[in-house]
Amino acid sequence: MKAIGIIPARYESSRFPGKPLVDIGGLTMIQRVYNQVKHATSLSEVVVATDDQRIYDHVKSFAGNVVMTRKDHQSGTDRCAEVIENIQGFDIAINIQGDEPFIDPLQIDLLVSCFARPEVQIATLIRQITAVEDLQNVNKPKVVLNALQEAIYFSRQPIPYYRGKEINEWLQETTYYNHIGIYGFKAEVLKELTKLPISKLESAESLEQLRWIENGYKIATAISAHTNDAIDTPEDLDLILKKYFK
């Protein structure tokens, strides 16, 4: 099966406008993401999907593949679906976060490998939680798995709740996982997902993957130990620069 890596990149961001074009040690964020993704051996093609001429022109300037998409998309998933509608010949679409400049290409290969099982519709990555701070952080969604290692729920709160125990004891009772925000889709499934209306669970938690589960789709998971450094705010960028360049 042929897989395409799609990197959604929009200029407008409530917390960090112009984020894809910020300088990180001499290269823009989108160029660093693109360069990392190109090292994933499982991908037949890599493309940036944007709705902004500045990003489009910049990707062209470093000889990257880029396509213009509509401005009215509500999520990166919708943007990826437009790409897969217009670029034929791919069985799998990988939605790669455009704000992780040091993403490990092996994570992408791991995600693509999930589709060696023909029954897999959607796949994503997870990481074991080892710190109580991560367990309590509502900005780091948690994943609940079934016995087949499929995601059956995502929440900003830790699940299960251990009644009668302090939260700093919970990690001794069971294994908790954080969600890593990279998705793989069978191409036809991706097209179906964008036609689904926003669900009640999605609205409650502000997590779009709950819409898919609520509508009966199964999400396979694979465990990665790599720590992903996402940049959501200017403060995150400062931390990244101190970590890698000072």
Side-chain angles (χ1 to χ4, degrees):
M1 291 192 295
K2 291 182 64 177
I4 182 172
I6 306 171
I7 309 168
R10 51 191 292 270
Y11 191 90
E12 301 301 332
S13 170
S14 58
R15 290 189 290 179
F16 199 167
K19 183 170 62 172
L21 300 181
V22 298
D23 181 84
I24 303 175
L27 295 176
T28 60
M29 175 148 62
I30 193 62
Q31 186 171 0
R32 285 195 175 277
V33 175
Y34 187 88
N35 289 349
Q36 290 294 104
V37 174
K38 288 287 286 184
H39 285 97
T41 60
S42 58
L43 298 178
S44 300
E45 186 63 272
V46 178
V47 63
V48 174
T50 188
D51 61 0
D52 189 273
Q53 192 66 45
R54 289 162 290 189
I55 296 173
Y56 182 93
D57 292 342
H58 174 65
V59 176
K60 283 289 188 182
S61 75
F62 62 77
N65 292 326
V66 59
V67 295
M68 286 291 286
T69 56
R70 303 198 317 267
K71 286 186 175 292
D72 60 347
H73 290 307
Q74 297 299 308
S75 69
T77 304
D78 295 332
R79 203 171 301 282
C80 289
E82 181 183 344
V83 173
I84 212 70
E85 286 278 5
N86 295 323
I87 300 179
Q88 305 299 316
F90 293 97
D91 307 290
I92 300 165
I94 305 298
N95 180 354
I96 299 155
Q97 298 291 329
D99 58 5
E100 293 187 6
F102 302 104
I103 185 173
D104 186 348
L106 293 177
Q107 287 187 305
I108 298 169
D109 294 335
L110 174 62
L111 186 60
V112 173
S113 73
C114 294
F115 292 91
R117 291 177 286 143
E119 71 274 15
V120 172
Q121 301 173 306
I122 308 167
T124 194
L125 299 183
I126 60 177
R127 182 189 307 107
Q128 184 174 347
I129 297 174
T130 58
V132 174
E133 293 76 18
D134 287 341
L135 195 63
Q136 295 176 300
N137 189 339
V138 297
N139 293 316
K140 293 186 175 183
K142 271 65 72 175
V143 191
V144 183
L145 305 179
N146 64 16
L148 300 177
Q149 204 170 301
E150 296 167 338
I152 56 175
Y153 196 72
F154 293 80
S155 181
R156 297 185 180 279
Q157 296 292 340
I159 298 174
Y161 174 90
Y162 270 91
R163 184 178 179 183
K165 292 185 179 291
E166 298 295 328
I167 194 168
N168 57 10
E169 301 177 87
W170 290 8
L171 292 176
Q172 302 168 23
E173 298 294 332
T174 192
T175 303
Y176 290 87
Y177 295 98
N178 274 139
H179 178 225
I180 300 173
I182 177 174
Y183 295 104
F185 309 91
K186 281 188 175 172
E188 293 307 312
V189 170
L190 176 57
K191 296 173 187 178
E192 294 171 4
L193 296 179
T194 59
K195 299 173 183 177
L196 299 173
I198 294 174
S199 71
K200 291 182 179 180
L201 293 177
E202 176 187 8
S203 296
E205 297 260 17
S206 191
L207 297 171
E208 67 171 331
Q209 57 270 42
L210 291 174
R211 185 194 319 181
W212 314 334
I213 292 175
E214 204 167 351
N215 282 277
Y217 289 88
K218 294 183 178 181
I219 304 176
T221 68
I223 300 172
S224 172
H226 179 73
T227 300
N228 297 64
D229 294 306
I231 299 176
D232 293 319
T233 66
E235 291 74 24
D236 292 336
L237 176 60
D238 290 338
L239 292 174
I240 289 291
L241 293 175
K242 291 175 182 177
K243 179 176 178 178
Y244 290 97
F245 299 101
K246 291 184 180 180

